[in-house]
Structures are given as structure tokens and as C-alpha cells.
Amino acid sequence: MIYVLCICILTACADNKNLTGEQFDFACQDVQFKNPFVDIDSVIMEPIKCRYIHGGFDDGTRFSFYYPLKKRDYTNRFFQYITPFPDSETSAQAYPAEYNPIVHAIANGAYFVETNEGGTLDFNDPSGRRDASIGAYRANAACAEFSRHIAQLIYDCERPYGYCYGGSGGAYRTVGGMESTEGVWDGAVPYVLGSPHAIPNVFAARMYALRVLRDKMGDIVDALEPGGSGDPYATLNAEQREVLQEVTRMGFPIRAWYGWKNMDAHGFMVLYRSIVSMDSAYFKDDFWNKPGYLGYANPASLQRDHIQQKAVVTRIIGQREAEQLGLVAPISEEERGTADRAWASMGTDIKEKPIACEIDCEVDMVTLGGELILLSGKGKGSQLQITGAKGRYVTFASVNDQQLLSKLSVGDKVQVDNSDWLAVETFYRHQMPTEDFYVWNQFRGEDGEPIYPQRPMLLGPIFTRGAGGCLPTGKFNGKMILCCSVWDREAFAWQGDWYRNRVKEHLGDAADDNFRLWYTDRCTHGEEDDPTQVVDYYSTLYQALLDVSDWVERGIEPSPTSSYEIKDGQVILTSDGGDRGGIQPVPHATINGERSARVKVAEEVTIRVEVEVPEDTGKVVKADWCIDDSKQYTLPVDLSQATYSADGARVTFETSISYDRAGVYFPTVKVYAERRGRAQTASYVQIPNIDRVRVIVK
């Protein structure tokens, strides 16, 4: 798997001897990491030509280093990617070329570092657990130090500057490394960062809304589209209105419900059973039987959706058949290690393990998870996590223990049960942290006390320590640009502001000398899933890496922190792109000054677009239209006919379109800004944004 994409030439660079098998005169600051070794030293051609060095430490930590071939191409720095979960040290090799981090590093004169963070964790085997700080930052720090040693051997250079970056769980690890070490990294770019109380609470809130509002999501989305009513509550009943308001105030980005049909449990599935075991009294008794809990109140939606269905297993289904039946989708190598999908690759290496089963009755489970309780057979008394039950098929979660899965047999009596899953959906109500986590203050009475009973233990900080090795405090060494997504559905955007406030507590007036918070609008936790609704954050991330290195090495200050306000849990960016801060262009599309228009078939309509680029962040270099339902940008804008301001920071253009059949359309414009105003530069530093209007054709 590791070198499928690499063409290796088994000779070292001409100017340096091969380091394979060498003994190194190197001592790590962390004395646990001893005896570094190199087992591969070669020139590779893909994803970019460079010198590839692979090795590790004797504790199981492994690394991959990618160095520019020539000293003249090296700018005395490295970029280090930190994955969300401890995983493979070679995951970056499989990234698509347009945002491959190895390519970005080498093309900008840096070498690239990736590690396995001490080795993959087995969440089903508590006996194999190790000190959380190893996977959080210590393995990464040791490899970063050793990469410098190798760089100095190769280039005979001074100490290289180092910059780490990671998203989601990797953001916790990035921040943990910056706060817990000194002299390892000079700067960092964490992105899509959560808070110490993100898990399990942000997932729970989202799943609660998905269940209760599933029949009204279309109305909610349409109300918020251009030309919509603007009132997402208009068609909701009392219970639905309360749920949408509560979850919105918790920080779920209300406009991100556009993708509700494809939302799953995400990384929550990895931790779900741990949550149940850590507060078993809540799930088995209190939620269902005590006042103050939703289960005790037992509203109509809960009665409707609660399933405890007994059945008999009639068939076991493996990976290939499950894919053919459409029960699961394959996980590509490109998705391993990404911020959004790293969790989903857990357990997928075994192609023919049980993936699903067929039962002798039909079940329609509307929750995103639950249990298959084994009532007979070899696994009697055990539970398997499931991701769904539809008709006669029950699909297993990838995190299940293989040995337990193997105990399931045809003829076993089972029970499909989502009781615990329903209980976890409102768990966040009973997990109130301190008042600086302001989205929870909606659950305080006038006296400041919680209106719901509180559990004896807050679970969020426990999971955060496991991911980052510490609780984030805002007291870090070096410089940092934190990149967050306004439409983030897994790490709600207000959490970036929470961390910024912690930085200001520690650094006071000096905070701006060391820290920036950039929000990317119309951006989620991972890659774009609908290119007419959202953009990805890779270009912002890679530009931030270049900017933080310029900040450290040359004293060039990056663009200011984004201009925003927090209102009822929502991050609202300043509409004026010139004053917004950050680096993302801001397009405004209108039809005759409005956001929508009604036209006849074949009637031409002109859409006007004004784009502003934040001060000193470049100019718009490219724009494209998607005018139909294809979700493809096939109509390029001729920007030579556009009107630019004197400084190039503002551009205006128009496009005329018509439709040959009736329907409702959302023509969408996608614009790109580039720091130096070069249209032909690499796509990974062209910063995108979109806007859309509604056209109703009669």
C-alpha cells in the first residue's frame, strides 16, 4: 500500500551518501525516543520528484521525510502534517495532485514531514492504550527534531524553521504540540479546531436535529437560499421550532443544512460506546426514568423513533456484497488521514469481514446509529454497533471488534435497539461547562443555574486530552494562524473564537503579534460535497502556511484576523470584503439588484457580480459559472472585460444567461483570488469563494 504511487530509484542523491542503515549521532529532547533509523533513502518521482527518507524509532514510531533534491531549491524550512488519528506515515502520498501537501511543500522550497504518531490505536483494545501525549505530540516532535538532523546532514545548513499543521483531531494535536513543547516548531496552522467540550456535544446536537427535523429540512434549506422567505421556522411545529433554535444556538451553522441528506455520524461512531460506558447510569436509567431528561418527557417524536425490534439473522454480508447492495461506500486511499474522513478508514483493511446482515423482519431506523444486541449464539450478551437498519438489512459500524463480529451467525436471535443512541442526542444539555463556553448559556435560568440536571462528569475534556495530550489554554510558543470554517458541521465555528479569547487572556495586547484567526466562508469541516454550495479550505490552509513562515522568518505580518461577530452561536462575517480580514474574496451576485428573479423560458437575464478582496491579499484572477443542475463550472468569465479598481482589490463583471425549460435554478459564480494576481499560479494558493442567485423560469 505504502509505495503504490511512488516510482523509487534505489540510489541516493549524488551529493549525499545513502543514509539507510546509518548510525546517527542524535539525541532527542524526549528521552523516550531512542535509536532512530532510516530504512529507505531514495529518489521518488511521484507525487513530485524529491528525496524520500523513511524510518522510525524503536518504540514503533515511523516517519516519512521528503526533501528537495537540490540545495538551491531548499529554503531552510519544513512543513509537517499532523493527522486527526494516529495513522500511516505515508497517507499524504495518496492525496490528489491539486492539493497534495508533499507537492506544496517541495514546490515552495520546504521539506515535508509526516509520522504515524506512534502507531495506529485500536479503540477496541484498552490493554493496548499508551500515554496519550505520545500520539498527541511527542512522536511528532521527536520526528520533527530528527528531520532537522537529517536536513543538516543533507544540506549542511543552519537549523531549519519548522511549521506544523493539522485539522480536526489533528488541530487538537497541533495546538497541543505548540503549547507543550518549546523549540520544536516555530509556527503552526491548526484548522477546523474544536474546543475542549466539542466531543460528544457537537455531534449529539446535530444528530438530534437531523432526527426531529428530517421531514422539514427541505423547507429550512429553501428559506435560507437566495430568494427564500428568510424564515427557516415558518413551517415548523412547536417541538421542531424549539429543536432548530436550540441546535442553532449550540453553533450548528444553520445554512449548512443544505447537505442534510448526506450527513452521517462522522467521527462520533469511534467514541460512542466509550461515552455510554463512561456514564452508564444516564443511558440505562436516568434518561428514561427521571424528570429533566428528554426520555422521561417522551415527546411524540421520541415515541415514534424508538426501536427495540427482535429478529433472527438470516444472512451475513461481507464488504464486496455490501458495496454491491449499496449499504456501504468504499473508502479510497485519498480519504485516509484527511481531516474529514480519517475516522472512516478504521477497520476497512479487512475486505471480507462482516459488514452487514439480513434479518427476518423489516426495520426502519431513522437514527444514525444504535446497537444490534445478540440474544443467542456464540456472542450472546454482546452488542454490535450499527450505522443503520433499513428494510431487512442491518449495517455494522467499522469500529466493531473483528472477533465479536465473527461470533455472529445465521440463526442467531438479535434485537435492533437505538435506545442509547436516542439518549445520547441530548446528552449535551447535561454537560454544561463554564460560562466562557457561551453557547451553553441558553440552558441557564435567570439565576445562572442550569435548567437541566447535570451529569457528575464532563466528558469533553477527557476526549480532548486524549486527542491533544492537554487541554488548550491559548498559551503557545511561536506564531499561529488558526483557520476555521463558518459552515463547519463537526467543529462549530464559534470554537475558533473561544480559542482566540484564550490567546488574548494569556498574551493580552501582544496577541496580534503572534496569532490570527481566519474564517473561511461557505466552507465545511472537510472537502466540498456540493461545489455550488461550498468551497474547500486547502488553498487557504496552504497560503496560511506560507504566510506564517514569512511572519516568523521575515517579519511580514499576515492579513488581520477575520472581522466577525457571534450571534446566538452563529459566526457572522462582515459583509464588506475589503474590511473582512482573512484572505478570502467576497462575491456579491444580484439580478436587477435582487437575489432572485422570475423569467420566461428563453428570456435572457443579466447577473451582476461584485467581488472584494481583503486588503493586501491579491486580486481576483479567475471566475466561472455553473448555471444548471450539473454542479459543474463550465462557463468561464472573461475577466479581461471586467472592471477592476485601481488597486485590483475590487472587480465587477456581468453575465447574461437564459433557460430553455421551466424550473428553479441557482446559477452560481465561483471566484478565485491569488496573492500576486497571477492566474497561472498553482491552484493550491488560489483562494475560492462562491455566491448564488435564484432564477424561477415559468
Side-chain angles (χ1 to χ4, degrees), residues 436-563:
D436 54 310
F437 294 90
Y438 38 77
V439 299
W440 268 274
N441 291 338
Q442 64 178 302
F443 304 128
R444 297 184 190 277
E446 292 183 0
D447 59 358
E449 294 300 311
I451 61 176
Y452 293 113
Q454 296 300 299
R455 307 308 301 169
M457 179 170 52
L458 295 175
L459 303 191
I462 298 173
F463 291 119
T464 302
R465 286 191 183 94
C470 63
L471 294 181
T473 64
K475 190 175 183 179
F476 61 88
N477 299 297
K479 296 187 183 297
M480 182 183 295
I481 299 176
L482 170 59
C483 296
C484 292
S485 300
V486 175
W487 290 19
D488 197 325
R489 301 172 296 207
E490 285 79 43
F492 299 163
W494 64 264
Q495 295 170 114
D497 173 71
W498 177 86
Y499 187 72
R500 181 190 179 201
N501 289 335
R502 304 291 78 72
V503 173
K504 289 192 290 188
E505 283 180 2
H506 286 287
L507 297 181
D509 294 339
D512 285 345
D513 296 334
N514 297 276
F515 180 83
R516 295 287 192 274
L517 169 58
W518 290 350
Y519 278 113
T520 302
D521 198 13
R522 284 191 170 273
C523 191
T524 64
H525 195 70
E527 296 73 43
E528 61 184 36
D529 54 4
D530 181 343
T532 64
Q533 287 281 10
V534 291
V535 297
D536 66 48
Y537 48 59
Y538 283 104
S539 53
T540 297
L541 167 64
Y542 289 145
Q543 187 62 58
L545 280 169
L546 299 178
D547 287 357
V548 80
S549 63
D550 278 345
W551 198 8
V552 169
E553 298 165 26
R554 302 166 62 194
I556 300 175
E557 291 198 11
S559 184
T561 286
S562 298
S563 179

Side-chain angles (χ1 to χ4, degrees), residues 355-626:
I355 296 298
C357 70
E358 186 177 15
I359 57 177
D360 67 346
C361 63
E362 293 194 357
V363 179
D364 186 13
M365 189 178 79
V366 299
T367 52
L368 298 174
E371 278 77 32
L372 187 71
I373 302 172
L374 309 188
L375 303 178
S376 68
K378 297 178 182 178
K380 182 179 179 180
S382 302
Q383 297 183 5
L384 291 169
Q385 286 184 236
I386 60 176
T387 57
K390 186 71 172 177
R392 292 177 178 267
Y393 296 113
V394 178
T395 308
F396 304 131
S398 62
V399 297
N400 281 301
D401 179 65
Q402 172 65 16
Q403 290 185 343
L404 180 55
L405 280 169
S406 67
K407 293 180 180 180
L408 185 68
S409 301
V410 171
D412 284 353
K413 295 179 181 179
V414 295
Q415 178 169 302
V416 179
D417 197 318
N418 65 355
S419 301
D420 289 349
W421 194 273
L422 289 169
V424 85
E425 289 179 346
T426 50
F427 192 63
Y428 61 88
R429 291 179 174 178
H430 314 284
Q431 289 282 291
M432 287 189 63
T434 51
E435 293 186 13
D436 54 310
F437 294 90
Y438 38 77
V439 299
W440 268 274
N441 291 338
Q442 64 178 302
F443 304 128
R444 297 184 190 277
E446 292 183 0
D447 59 358
E449 294 300 311
I451 61 176
Y452 293 113
Q454 296 300 299
R455 307 308 301 169
M457 179 170 52
L458 295 175
L459 303 191
I462 298 173
F463 291 119
T464 302
R465 286 191 183 94
C470 63
L471 294 181
T473 64
K475 190 175 183 179
F476 61 88
N477 299 297
K479 296 187 183 297
M480 182 183 295
I481 299 176
L482 170 59
C483 296
C484 292
S485 300
V486 175
W487 290 19
D488 197 325
R489 301 172 296 207
E490 285 79 43
F492 299 163
W494 64 264
Q495 295 170 114
D497 173 71
W498 177 86
Y499 187 72
R500 181 190 179 201
N501 289 335
R502 304 291 78 72
V503 173
K504 289 192 290 188
E505 283 180 2
H506 286 287
L507 297 181
D509 294 339
D512 285 345
D513 296 334
N514 297 276
F515 180 83
R516 295 287 192 274
L517 169 58
W518 290 350
Y519 278 113
T520 302
D521 198 13
R522 284 191 170 273
C523 191
T524 64
H525 195 70
E527 296 73 43
E528 61 184 36
D529 54 4
D530 181 343
T532 64
Q533 287 281 10
V534 291
V535 297
D536 66 48
Y537 48 59
Y538 283 104
S539 53
T540 297
L541 167 64
Y542 289 145
Q543 187 62 58
L545 280 169
L546 299 178
D547 287 357
V548 80
S549 63
D550 278 345
W551 198 8
V552 169
E553 298 165 26
R554 302 166 62 194
I556 300 175
E557 291 198 11
S559 184
T561 286
S562 298
S563 179
Y564 65 91
E565 63 173 328
I566 308 290
K567 185 176 181 180
D568 289 335
Q570 303 291 294
V571 171
I572 302 172
L573 296 175
T574 300
S575 61
D576 188 326
D579 295 332
R580 181 174 286 191
I583 60 174
Q584 188 183 30
V586 183
H588 298 283
T590 56
I591 305 175
N592 298 326
E594 303 294 334
R595 297 287 286 157
S596 66
R598 294 178 179 269
V599 300
K600 298 177 182 178
V601 171
E603 180 182 348
E604 192 171 83
V605 61
T606 299
I607 306 175
R608 177 182 174 86
V609 181
E610 295 183 358
V611 190
E612 298 169 300
V613 179
E615 185 177 0
D616 297 327
T617 62
K619 63 180 290 187
V620 173
V621 297
K622 181 181 176 183
D624 298 293
W625 281 98
C626 173

Side-chain angles (χ1 to χ4, degrees), residues 222-302:
D222 185 75
L224 297 171
E225 285 279 23
S229 69
D231 182 7
Y233 298 92
T235 65
L236 308 187
N237 63 31
E239 181 190 7
Q240 292 165 340
R241 181 181 293 266
E242 290 175 1
V243 171
L244 181 58
Q245 184 179 68
E246 178 175 305
V247 172
T248 301
R249 287 177 174 174
M250 279 296 293
F252 187 94
I254 191 168
R255 295 176 69 195
W257 286 120
Y258 76 87
W260 69 274
K261 291 181 180 178
N262 298 318
M263 291 183 197
D264 55 23
H266 206 265
F268 179 78
M269 191 62 71
V270 177
L271 302 170
Y272 165 54
R273 291 311 305 176
S274 296
I275 295 164
V276 174
S277 65
M278 293 167 76
D279 194 350
S280 59
Y282 169 84
F283 292 91
K284 299 307 179 187
D285 184 30
D286 296 356
F287 176 80
W288 298 101
N289 299 310
K290 293 186 178 180
Y293 296 94
L294 188 70
Y296 179 84
N298 203 18
S301 67
L302 195 69

